[in-house]
Amino acid sequence: MSTAPACQDTAATLQYVQFNASGFADAGEGRTAFVSRALAQPAEVEALLETAREAEMMDELDSVDGKPAHEMYLRQYGVDLHPVVSRLTSLLHRVARTANDQYGCTACTACNVLLRRYRPAERRGIPPHNDRNAFVTAVAQLNPDEFAGGLYLQRTARAASREYFAVPASDVIFHKYDLRHGVDVFEGSRYSAVFWMKDRRLCGSYASPWFLQDAVLGNAHAQEALSELYAKGWHGHAADMRAAIKWGTLAAEQGHAAAQSRLGRLYLMGTEGVPKDAALGRWWVQKAADQGFTEAEYVMGLMSAGAGEWHAAARWFQPAAQAGHAAAQHKYGLLLCNGDGVPMDRESGAEWLERAAEQGHAEAERDLTQLRGMSRIRRHNSNHQEITPTSKIVDAGSIIT
């Protein structure tokens, strides 16, 4: 088992999205991404980028990973909030028309328009996810020459299937709610404009009726989305765990890894309307983990560590850590530092703790400080010391995220 951190953090090792002559890219499982070439005019890109550079970004927590979002809304729920929107009227019409032409989003408009910032010591990415508040999303990467990495799509459950979008600032990328995507910025700073689109009549509400419409037709991506929305009570869906189980099961039975992972975690934890069933929960989580779904690999690591199965824990934590999962990087780093389930390698362990700490993982920061203090002690004392984690390797509460 290799213990060194993964090397997929330079532009030279990245895979890139390939578009056909019509502007579409196959994203797997019937999903697509579309690029509209030169849709944004230079003056429009300049206005967005200038606003993004000068803006005071909001630090409200992102719904995807719970970290400060570093974003600013120019339009929210159909209401313009920033004067720059008056300079984007034509662009907004072109974006909406493209969503209609390519994805059948009739009566579509950009209900929400926001700017996002990624720079060192702040936010460097967003984990893979699906957009829940838009039928179609459009993204413009405003300064592509100033960063490495950026927006990616993920074709399968495995992080190795990520493909990055390398397009000029004038090109706008489109995708539906079913595209699993994220952001990784490996070098430099990135600014982007995001347009979340749905029927203009729904702008003032959280309603997202397209999920149910597609779910009843058997679309596993829509079924998985409904499972999450009912589990969390999001976007016009009242919390309903029985509905979450119903739709999650339908998607999981079709092999949808995210649905399998969430369904398993619901059974592992148990809650109102969901009887706790550890065996069934582990079975579903492992189904997702076997497909390479990062969150499921992490949960399998937690369960293995909780049972004292350290070799198995390391086997599950490692790929999740390599995929960029901060908590898995922390756990795997601790295993390496202490030689639990893997040969002791404190140098590599420290590297993994550093990676987690760079993502703002507070426990990794504390354990890294402890490890560095022990290194100073060892200069005067040759006796082996075990790093005592400031947090438990296993925390049942972290199974549901």
Side-chain angles (χ1 to χ4, degrees), residues 133-144:
N133 57 350
F135 181 70
V136 175
T137 295
V139 179
Q141 303 195 111
L142 301 174
N143 61 329

Side-chain angles (χ1 to χ4, degrees), residues 70-350:
H70 300 289
E71 65 187 16
M72 182 180 74
Y73 279 86
L74 305 179
R75 172 186 286 178
Q76 191 169 29
Y77 303 120
V79 178
D80 293 345
L81 304 177
H82 194 283
V84 75
V85 177
S86 65
R87 299 159 62 185
L88 304 174
T89 302
S90 180
L91 174 61
L92 293 171
H93 284 310
R94 295 193 301 274
V95 167
R97 185 174 63 247
T98 303
N100 184 11
D101 292 345
Q102 304 304 330
Y103 287 106
C105 188
T106 56
C108 242
T109 192
C111 295
N112 295 281
V113 181
L114 61 150
L115 300 172
R116 300 202 74 159
R117 180 179 70 203
Y118 304 80
R119 66 184 184 187
E122 282 188 354
R123 173 179 279 277
R124 305 301 286 155
I126 301 178
H129 64 283
N130 293 79
D131 290 338
R132 301 308 195 199
N133 57 350
F135 181 70
V136 175
T137 295
V139 179
Q141 303 195 111
L142 301 174
N143 61 329
D145 296 332
E146 299 178 11
F147 64 87
L151 179 69
Y152 63 80
L153 63 80
Q154 187 164 311
R155 295 176 60 86
T156 73
R158 297 187 185 279
S161 69
R162 293 174 186 173
E163 297 178 1
Y164 290 76
F165 293 90
V167 298
S170 60
D171 290 1
V172 180
I173 301 158
F174 291 77
H175 63 82
K176 281 178 60 178
Y177 70 83
D178 57 4
L179 187 75
R180 196 158 184 82
H181 63 284
V183 173
D184 274 328
V185 177
F186 303 113
E187 300 173 13
S189 298
R190 174 183 182 265
Y191 296 90
S192 64
V194 182
F195 307 82
W196 284 329
M197 289 174 282
K198 61 182 180 179
D199 188 312
R200 63 174 59 91
R201 294 166 294 186
L202 302 176
C203 276
S205 73
Y206 292 104
S208 48
W210 55 87
F211 292 120
L212 181 59
Q213 293 165 3
D214 287 355
V216 296
L217 296 176
N219 185 302
H221 303 295
Q223 292 169 345
E224 184 272 332
L226 281 180
S227 177
E228 179 179 32
L229 296 176
Y230 279 121
K232 297 181 177 180
W234 279 359
H235 302 304
H237 297 78
D240 184 339
M241 286 302 177
R242 289 184 176 86
I245 289 289
K246 168 192 169 182
W247 291 112
T249 301
L250 289 171
E253 288 174 344
Q254 293 192 62
H256 196 293
Q260 292 171 340
S261 178
R262 182 176 301 106
L263 185 63
R265 285 177 284 150
L266 288 174
Y267 279 123
L268 284 170
M269 297 297 293
T271 184
E272 184 178 354
V274 183
K276 186 173 182 177
D277 189 329
L280 183 58
R282 184 184 181 102
W283 188 82
W284 277 120
V285 170
Q286 184 158 355
K287 293 279 283 186
D290 287 341
Q291 292 194 62
F293 191 74
T294 299
E295 187 62 35
E297 291 172 330
Y298 173 65
V299 174
M300 288 299 299
L302 289 178
M303 290 190 290
S304 298
E309 300 167 354
W310 299 110
H311 289 286
R315 180 170 64 85
W316 290 117
F317 283 143
Q318 184 191 27
Q322 290 175 327
H325 192 291
Q329 291 171 339
H330 173 230
K331 306 297 190 189
Y332 188 54
L334 291 179
L335 295 183
L336 287 165
C337 287
N338 288 331
D340 293 327
V342 290
M344 181 181 291
D345 185 342
R346 285 188 168 166
E347 182 176 352
S348 290

